[in-house]
Amino acid sequence: MKLEELGYNNKLGDYRIDQNLSELEIGRITLEHKERYVVKTPDHEFEAELMGNIRFTAESRYDFPAVGDWVAFSAYDEGKALIHAIYPRHSILERKAVGKSGQVQIIATNIDCALIVQAVDRDFNVNRIERYLTICHASNVEPLIVLSKIDLIDELELEAIKDQIIQRVKDIPVIAISSIQAVYAQLEELIKPGKTYCLLGSSGVGKSTLLNALSGKEQMKTGEISSSVNKGKHVTSHRELIVLESGGIIIDNPGMREVGIADTSGGLEMTFDTILAYAENCRYKDCSHLHEKGCAILAAVDSGEIDADSYANYCKMEKEKMHYESDALERKKKDKDFGKMVKNVKKQRKNSKF
């Protein structure tokens, strides 16, 4: 195996030289658990921990490694290593952490494409697809919708689901798969060597089954199907990066019960660009598109030009985004005030010595 098969590229090579990291080894984080990591190189895997300066100078979760990161490290014992630095990330897939106001959870880094897996059984939900699309767009990650368990419905039902997606989601590829029918060829053709793909989806939609099929062996255990709800039992409990024999790189994720919006970079606008295109005709430039007279978006919803459910989903996520941005500003202010306090304490201590 070569570094390029793990996703290594010229930008990483240039950074390695510019930052004088050539004396250290380079590898990619494949597993993370409470500040303990597994780092993979073309020839070995290391159990790694952080150098003290990374841990003690970290200002936020972004300063710690995550699955998908490239790191500079040194081996100090057989299979053991110390992480010295994290290489720049070209993408960070993240969401607002469940039940933790203002906090962001990093799903994975350096992702090229996200496979949004949705089972076509009774749990199918277009609103959820739009949520996953929003975090992909906000992270500059290319999305691909994968419909799983198509053996549970007939052809007419499958076409109806595809039509439902097309009405709400524009210009995003949709692929249908089934573990029973072994229908994976179309997806396998899209998996490119050296590119990193991340599986996104709720618990029980078949992500682990899909990973096992793509890798040709059981990478993740799969749960048995419940006859009452047609859902597999959730078994994936951690994020893990796996290199396929075909050359692609897959990151599996635990199922997400909730997908909170932590978007400050236009992901929501990209997901709902069809709706927001109507805003150019609103009477007021600062229209909130919620209740104003002369709102072109509300008029389009009333006339049926805009799907009412999609509009309702947009409004819900827009409110979440505004709440997150408000929390982020408050945290920034608190951090700034804390920084001032620390400086004043240091200044007072310095003056008291004289």
Side-chain angles (χ1 to χ4, degrees):
M1 179 185 291
K2 299 179 180 179
L3 276 172
E4 287 74 15
E5 294 177 58
L6 285 172
Y8 190 73
N9 55 46
N10 291 335
K11 286 186 177 180
L12 293 168
D14 293 341
Y15 182 85
R16 190 181 189 190
I17 295 171
D18 292 342
Q19 299 299 313
N20 297 317
L21 297 174
S22 299
E23 296 299 319
L24 295 169
E25 295 190 61
I26 182 170
R28 198 165 186 192
I29 302 290
T30 63
L31 196 62
E32 168 199 357
H33 182 67
K34 295 181 179 179
E35 295 187 26
R36 307 284 295 188
Y37 308 89
V38 173
V39 179
K40 184 175 181 61
T41 70
D43 303 313
H44 301 286
E45 285 189 343
F46 297 86
E47 293 182 10
E49 55 185 315
L50 300 176
M51 291 286 289
N53 65 315
I54 295 181
R55 182 179 290 106
F56 297 122
T57 60
E59 296 181 358
S60 71
R61 178 63 187 84
Y62 294 97
D63 298 317
F64 289 90
V67 173
D69 271 333
W70 287 92
V71 295
F73 72 95
S74 61
Y76 68 89
D77 202 350
E78 186 176 352
K80 305 291 185 181
L82 291 172
I83 296 172
H84 294 253
I86 304 169
Y87 281 72
R89 299 153 171 162
H90 73 75
S91 66
I92 303 175
L93 204 56
E94 60 187 5
R95 66 166 177 166
K96 184 176 178 294
V98 178
K100 297 179 180 180
S101 177
Q103 294 189 26
V104 172
Q105 179 186 30
I106 295 178
I107 299 170
T109 66
N110 298 313
I111 305 300
D112 297 299
C113 177
L115 307 181
I116 302 171
V117 185
Q118 277 273 287
V120 295
D121 59 6
R122 66 193 70 182
D123 192 46
F124 176 78
N125 190 309
V126 180
N127 284 358
R128 192 178 297 121
I129 289 178
E130 288 178 333
R131 282 183 170 272
Y132 283 120
L133 287 174
T134 298
I135 67 173
C136 288
H137 289 146
S139 307
N140 195 31
V141 171
E142 179 185 354
L144 172 66
I145 299 170
V146 179
L147 300 178
S148 64
K149 303 185 180 182
I150 61 173
D151 52 280
L152 297 177
I153 60 175
D154 60 35
E155 193 66 32
L156 287 177
E157 291 174 304
L158 178 59
E159 290 304 314
I161 285 177
K162 287 182 178 179
D163 288 340
Q164 188 180 350
I165 294 173
I166 292 171
Q167 291 298 318
R168 297 265 296 264
V169 177
K170 308 299 181 184
D171 302 321
I172 305 297
V174 179
I175 293 177
I177 62 171
S178 166
S179 60
I180 302 297
Q181 301 169 3
V183 183
Y184 293 101
Q186 189 180 2
L187 181 58
E188 288 174 330
E189 290 177 0
L190 296 175
I191 304 295
K192 303 300 181 184
K195 296 295 183 182
T196 303
Y197 304 80
C198 185
L199 299 178
L200 298 177
S202 303
S203 173
V205 297
K207 299 190 303 300
S208 296
T209 300
L210 172 57
L211 176 59
N212 291 341
L214 292 173
S215 65
K217 53 187 175 182
E218 186 170 342
Q219 300 281 0
M220 297 290 179
K221 292 182 180 179
T222 56
E224 59 190 39
I225 301 296
S226 166
S227 59
S228 61
V229 295
N230 288 334
K231 290 179 66 176
K233 295 178 181 178
H234 173 51
V235 291
T236 303
S237 59
H238 59 272
R239 295 177 180 84
E240 184 170 357
L241 182 150
I242 295 167
V243 181
L244 306 179
E245 290 186 6
S246 61
I249 303 157
I250 300 280
I251 295 178
D252 193 19
N253 280 287
M256 299 182 195
R257 293 188 302 274
E258 297 180 31
V259 187
I261 301 301
D263 173 24
T264 57
S265 57
L268 199 62
E269 287 76 5
M270 290 179 66
T271 301
F272 295 96
D273 60 344
T274 303
I275 290 178
L276 294 175
Y278 285 83
E280 295 180 4
N281 298 319
C282 287
R283 179 180 298 176
Y284 305 108
K285 289 184 178 181
D286 59 348
C287 183
S288 68
H289 318 304
L290 296 175
H291 48 69
E292 292 90 345
K293 291 183 178 180
C295 175
I297 289 178
L298 290 175
V301 173
D302 291 339
S303 68
E305 294 178 58
I306 290 177
D307 184 278
D309 291 334
S310 185
Y311 168 73
N313 200 32
Y314 161 75
C315 290
K316 184 177 181 179
M317 285 194 277
E318 176 65 23
K319 289 178 182 178
E320 287 181 36
K321 175 187 173 183
M322 292 172 64
H323 181 69
Y324 169 76
E325 290 176 340
S326 176
D327 285 345
L329 286 173
E330 183 63 27
R331 287 198 313 277
K332 189 174 181 180
K333 182 180 182 300
K334 288 181 179 179
D335 290 344
K336 188 175 180 180
D337 292 342
F338 180 74
K340 286 182 178 179
M341 182 191 73
V342 171
K343 286 182 180 179
N344 288 334
V345 169
K346 288 182 177 179
K347 186 176 180 180
Q348 289 172 6
R349 286 182 176 177
K350 184 178 180 180
N351 292 337
S352 64
K353 293 179 180 180
F354 296 98

